[in-house]
Amino acid sequence: MEEKNQHEGISLVDIIRLLFKKLWLLIIVTIIGGVLGGTYAIRKTEDINYFGTKVEFYVNPEKTKDGTTVVGNSQYGIYGAYGSHIMDTMTKRLNSDVFAEYLLLDGEELPAKDHWAGGEAGETLNAAIDAASGYVVQKQEAQAAVDAAILAQTQKKTAYDSCYQTVSVEWSKLLIQGLTTSATFDEAEYYRENLQGKNPALDIAITAWNQARYDLTDAQANVLAANTALGVAERAAEGPINTVLSLWRQTSKYKSALSSIKGATDFSFMDASVTVDDVNKLARSFIYAKISVLNNQPYANDVLRRVLNGVPSFVEKYMFIPEGYDTTNCVLNTTVNDIHLTNPGYTTNQAIKTGLLLGGMFFVIACVVLILLDRADKRLRDYEALAARIDVPVLGVIPSIPFSDAKHHARGQAEEHAEKMAQQAEKENAKKEDE
Amino acid sequence: MGWFSNLRISFHDWRARRNSQKNRSHRTEYLLNKNTPFTVTEAFRSLKASLSVSLPKRDGGVALMVTSAYPEDGKTTVTTNLALMFAQSDAKVLLLDADIRKGRVARYFKRKSTPGLSDYLSGQNTLEEVIHRSHINENLDYLTCGTHSPRPYELLESVEMTDLVKLLKTKYDYIIIDTPPVLLLSDALAIAPDTDGTVLVCRHEVSYVNDIVRALNVLEFSKVNVLGVVVNDHKKSKSGKYYGGYRKKYYYYRSYDYTYGSTDPNKKDDEPTK
């Protein structure tokens, strides 16, 4: 028999019809996939709880440590042309290992003893810590001396300024201009030769001013000396501290602790364009700290405490100081929210996502399987295609006989047969009677 | 690969049996009646008309063989109702059950299959004893398969069979012969040379296209005059695509709802519809 080779194309309409025919199956398969996906996601994520919070720090490079605000728009300030770069650099440092280590030290110069290593390594570390502790104490004392000297200097400066004001008032009464705060040699000479004794108040004020000047000079010298001593102490402590840090960094606990604390924190800032608008200026002035810890709320609380303590001092210590400013000032800006669960509903969301994803995959696979099965099904379905293929005519197409009709027919046939038998019996009886 | 073919045949047989068992009442031997849907009746009428044209015209009767690829394709139902449809057009028709192994034509007429064809061919009964008039239509006679024989092929291939067919052609306008499946048994090929044409019955969504093709190849190789194919048990589907032309026809037929048995389209049946 001549069989025509026919290329069976795939019709999209046929595919859609096929899939629609098996819609119930696709729905069931999709539901099964969704349920399986959801169940799997619930099992995987039911123990995933993130604890954390967000904190804002306000950074103002134009405010000195003594609280005096210096007005300026230096290009090196946060509001200046390089402000974005400065903040970017700062947040990168906060996200680096340097700050993570700073947090681990928790405000101390040296790590805690008997915590980071055991055995021989622990003993070596402890010995190094002991050796460096004395230097650290000296350094701290030197720093305290510097702080005290600075405070004294500040006080002396205040007194000096006050005396100067008094001298200025009295001096101006004599209608003499040009008095400077530094009281040059010529001016001092001029006073001594020409003015001494002419105004008792002026004499007293100048005497007090001279004394204040000497005190201020002494205080400045003390600050200088204290700073020098601090420098010496710092240089002396540098070696032992570096030894301790070097040993500390080699311990495995250090690495895991560093990794943990680094993973638990994230710092950023908002890069706003530089305009004279205060809002934009303020936007760039914030450093945002995000804390997030998996399944360990106490640790999250500890990290928060370290961040609150560490960020201001670190920023003030390392941030680029604009020209003409003493130091950067960094303060906590907002009320700190307690550590709380940051992913409520995470399990549900994941279950829904995974369920939808898996349900969708099952649906697609089911569609593909149905289409493949349909293509593989070589039973007679399209008689026109059959006729075209085999080149033999289809003489007739007999529809499927309805079920109810077949049943009805069976009953009807039985009744008909009984009726005919009765008629036949009647005829035979009649025949017999005739005979 | 013989075991694979056997497996496939068994599977096909099982599935066909299962499919037919699903609508168990379809296994009741169905004959066209006044309750038959118009579309079914018209389908048979249309088939009859196609065959009337296809069958070669000659003096005397015409022998038409009906076969299928595998069992449970509805071959006997189609054969019996086709014979009934021929009989309705006032032609003298004999329905001959040549499936000596598993003939079922007798059941359609609520009769035993013996005595029948095999008894006649083996000389145990006369022709008058084995041919019966149907109670449905006086133009329709039937000859059942007869006693089961261990040599059915030989009986069908015998000279007696050839002579019988020749004799029947002198008495009847149409001899519709129901034969076993051609891919399972060769009985149909034994009787084919005595016939004027062959029709292959296949079942929608049950018969495999490859099996149909193979059956046609077998028939053509045996130089059988294949008139065409009949698709049986065609299911109406919502999709519509596979049954494209049929669906349109069905729509038109519904608007011409002629009842069964009426020759005059304007005259309705006297008997009330049950």
Side-chain angles (χ1 to χ4, degrees):
Chain A
M1 185 208 63
E2 192 180 326
E3 199 180 326
K4 289 179 184 172
N5 286 325
Q6 278 196 331
H7 173 68
E8 291 184 32
I10 300 173
S11 162
L12 186 62
V13 173
D14 289 343
I15 290 171
I16 292 170
R17 281 196 180 120
L18 165 71
L19 295 178
F20 193 76
K21 231 167 113 179
K22 300 287 184 188
L23 189 62
W24 59 272
L25 180 67
L26 293 174
I27 289 171
I28 288 172
V29 165
T30 305
I31 290 172
I32 290 172
V35 167
L36 284 175
T39 308
Y40 171 76
I42 288 171
R43 293 287 299 274
K44 284 282 273 185
T45 62
E46 59 188 352
D47 289 332
I48 294 181
N49 297 304
Y50 282 98
F51 294 97
T53 189
K54 284 184 184 170
V55 186
E56 281 176 14
F57 295 93
Y58 178 57
V59 181
N60 187 353
E62 297 174 353
K63 200 176 182 73
T64 57
K65 263 231 185 278
D66 62 1
T68 307
T69 302
V70 178
V71 178
N73 261 330
S74 164
Q75 64 177 337
Y76 299 111
I78 286 180
Y79 309 143
Y82 300 121
S84 173
H85 178 71
I86 290 169
M87 289 299 279
D88 184 47
T89 305
M90 192 66 239
T91 51
K92 277 178 179 161
R93 291 205 79 168
L94 288 170
N95 284 319
S96 69
D97 287 356
V98 172
F99 183 64
E101 188 179 281
Y102 190 86
L103 288 178
L104 284 182
L105 288 171
D106 199 14
E108 302 292 331
E109 293 270 1
L110 301 170
K113 275 177 69 174
D114 302 321
H115 176 74
W116 296 99
E120 200 179 314
E123 283 175 16
T124 309
L125 179 61
N126 287 341
I129 291 172
D130 287 335
S133 294
Y135 292 99
V136 167
V137 167
Q138 286 173 11
K139 190 176 146 191
Q140 287 169 349
E141 287 170 354
Q143 179 66 50
V146 165
D147 293 339
I150 290 174
L151 182 63
Q153 178 189 271
T154 306
Q155 291 167 347
K156 296 300 178 197
K157 179 72 167 55
T158 305
Y160 173 85
D161 290 338
S162 173
C163 289
Y164 170 72
Q165 286 298 322
T166 308
V167 169
S168 294
V169 167
E170 295 304 326
W171 193 282
S172 65
K173 286 178 183 174
L174 297 180
L175 299 176
I176 298 175
Q177 296 175 4
L179 177 69
T180 64
T181 55
S182 58
T184 62
F185 177 77
D186 288 341
E187 285 168 341
E189 275 299 303
Y190 182 82
Y191 166 72
R192 200 170 51 76
E193 286 172 6
N194 300 296
L195 299 177
Q196 194 167 18
K198 286 201 166 52
N199 184 338
L202 178 60
D203 290 342
I204 293 168
I206 285 180
T207 304
W209 186 36
N210 277 330
Q211 186 58 46
R213 194 165 49 151
Y214 293 139
D215 292 341
L216 180 59
T217 305
D218 287 342
Q220 286 172 342
N222 289 340
V223 168
L224 196 60
N227 275 325
T228 305
L230 177 62
V232 169
E234 281 178 348
R235 279 191 292 278
E238 194 178 333
I241 290 175
N242 284 342
T243 303
V244 169
L245 292 179
S246 176
L247 289 170
W248 180 46
R249 286 170 189 151
Q250 288 168 22
T251 60
S252 56
K253 263 193 179 177
Y254 166 84
K255 292 181 178 102
S256 66
L258 192 79
S259 169
S260 290
I261 207 160
K262 214 174 152 195
T265 54
D266 181 59
F267 299 93
S268 59
F269 77 103
M270 185 186 294
D271 188 11
S273 58
V274 178
T275 65
V276 297
D277 182 39
D278 285 342
V279 172
N280 283 330
K281 283 168 97 174
L282 279 176
R284 189 183 280 170
S285 300
F286 290 100
I287 286 177
Y288 304 100
K290 183 181 163 193
I291 295 163
S292 182
V293 175
L294 176 64
N295 290 345
N296 195 339
Q297 191 170 6
Y299 180 65
N301 280 315
D302 186 48
V303 170
L304 175 63
R305 181 186 60 75
R306 288 170 191 253
V307 165
L308 291 175
N309 292 335
V311 167
S313 56
F314 188 86
V315 170
E316 288 172 4
K317 187 174 174 182
Y318 288 106
M319 193 155 187
F320 181 83
I321 300 170
E323 178 185 316
Y325 302 133
D326 287 338
T327 184
T328 301
N329 182 235
C330 176
V331 293
L332 182 65
N333 185 63
T334 55
T335 305
V336 176
N337 293 323
D338 290 340
I339 292 290
H340 56 275
L341 186 67
T342 57
N343 64 333
Y346 176 73
T347 300
T348 307
N349 288 343
Q350 288 298 312
I352 291 170
K353 276 186 206 166
T354 312
L356 284 173
L357 182 67
L358 208 63
M361 271 174 55
F362 271 48
F363 176 82
V364 169
I365 291 170
C367 287
V368 170
V369 167
L370 280 177
I371 291 168
L372 289 175
L373 285 176
D374 182 70
R375 300 297 298 170
D377 185 2
K378 298 297 180 193
R379 290 176 300 168
L380 172 64
R381 287 181 297 176
D382 185 359
Y383 64 87
E384 288 167 352
L386 172 69
R389 179 177 167 182
I390 59 177
D391 206 20
V392 169
V394 174
L395 297 171
V397 179
I398 312 298
S400 191
I401 298 169
F403 176 77
S404 57
D405 183 62
K407 221 166 64 163
H408 185 82
H409 165 69
R411 186 173 65 240
Q413 258 201 334
E415 287 172 4
E416 262 183 43
H417 183 69
E419 205 179 300
K420 284 213 182 318
M421 294 303 289
Q423 283 174 358
Q424 212 170 348
E426 245 182 70
K427 277 183 191 167
E428 280 173 12
N429 285 337
K431 211 174 173 182
K432 276 182 189 169
E433 276 175 14
D434 287 342
E435 283 174 3
Chain B
M1 291 297 282
W3 64 270
F4 181 72
S5 298
N6 290 338
L7 189 67
R8 198 167 150 214
I9 290 163
S10 305
F11 174 70
H12 177 85
D13 194 21
W14 165 79
R15 189 164 58 175
R17 198 168 293 134
R18 185 201 65 177
N19 286 342
S20 65
Q21 280 174 355
K22 274 183 193 173
N23 295 320
R24 197 173 287 276
S25 62
H26 282 201
R27 288 285 280 136
T28 36
E29 287 64 31
Y30 188 84
L31 286 175
L32 297 174
N33 58 88
K34 59 178 182 287
N35 294 320
T36 303
F38 179 75
T39 52
V40 176
T41 312
E42 270 311 297
F44 275 106
R45 192 166 287 134
S46 171
L47 173 62
K48 183 214 87 177
S50 302
L51 287 170
S52 302
V53 170
S54 308
L55 284 166
K57 300 284 184 286
R58 58 188 66 198
D59 294 333
V62 174
L64 173 69
M65 184 174 86
V66 180
T67 187
S68 66
Y70 282 110
E72 305 294 339
D73 280 348
K75 166 178 43 57
T76 306
T77 302
V78 169
T79 309
T80 309
N81 287 293
L82 180 62
L84 191 58
M85 198 51 69
F86 270 110
Q88 271 200 308
S89 54
D90 293 333
K92 290 285 288 176
V93 181
L94 175 71
L95 174 61
L96 197 156
D97 190 354
D99 190 351
I100 294 174
R101 298 169 205 261
K102 276 176 76 175
R104 285 179 39 230
V105 168
R107 293 190 202 176
Y108 284 75
F109 302 98
K110 303 282 183 282
R111 206 186 168 83
K112 287 186 184 175
S113 58
T114 56
L117 178 65
S118 61
D119 303 300
Y120 171 80
L121 292 175
S122 56
Q124 296 189 15
N125 290 89
T126 63
L127 195 62
E128 290 71 29
E129 287 172 341
V130 297
I131 290 181
H132 309 282
R133 177 133 309 160
S134 79
H135 61 279
I136 301 165
N137 192 306
E138 59 185 10
N139 292 328
L140 175 63
D141 293 345
Y142 59 92
L143 200 166
T144 57
C145 58
T147 311
H148 292 297
S149 166
R151 306 176 302 121
Y153 181 84
E154 285 73 16
L155 282 175
L156 292 171
E157 204 192 24
S158 63
V159 173
E160 286 79 9
M161 184 66 201
T162 307
D163 292 340
L164 172 63
V165 172
K166 280 183 188 162
L167 177 62
L168 291 172
K169 281 183 181 179
T170 62
K171 294 187 174 185
Y172 295 95
D173 299 318
Y174 293 98
I175 303 147
I176 315 293
I177 306 173
D178 183 28
T179 57
V182 68
L183 289 184
L184 273 189
L185 303 161
S186 52
D187 295 5
L189 301 176
I191 202 172
D194 301 325
T195 61
D196 299 300
T198 300
V199 168
L200 184 73
V201 175
C202 55
R203 198 162 191 168
H204 185 237
E205 286 191 347
V206 172
S207 304
Y208 280 84
V209 172
N210 289 343
D211 293 340
I212 297 168
V213 170
R214 274 200 310 131
L216 288 169
N217 284 338
V218 166
L219 291 170
E220 289 206 8
F221 186 75
S222 305
K223 296 187 174 42
V224 173
N225 179 24
V226 178
L227 299 174
V229 166
V230 174
V231 178
N232 186 33
D233 199 21
H234 190 281
K235 285 135 189 108
K236 199 172 50 175
S237 164
K238 283 177 189 171
S239 67
K241 167 63 177 82
Y242 292 132
Y243 324 118
Y246 167 69
R247 197 180 191 195
K248 257 192 214 165
K249 272 193 266 179
Y250 179 73
Y251 171 73
Y252 287 124
Y253 282 163
R254 282 186 71 182
S255 59
Y256 296 92
D257 192 3
Y258 296 140
T259 53
Y260 166 72
S262 168
T263 54
D264 181 358
N266 296 321
K267 188 180 170 187
K268 294 223 185 281
D269 242 26
D270 291 331
E271 293 186 21
T273 306
K274 288 187 182 174

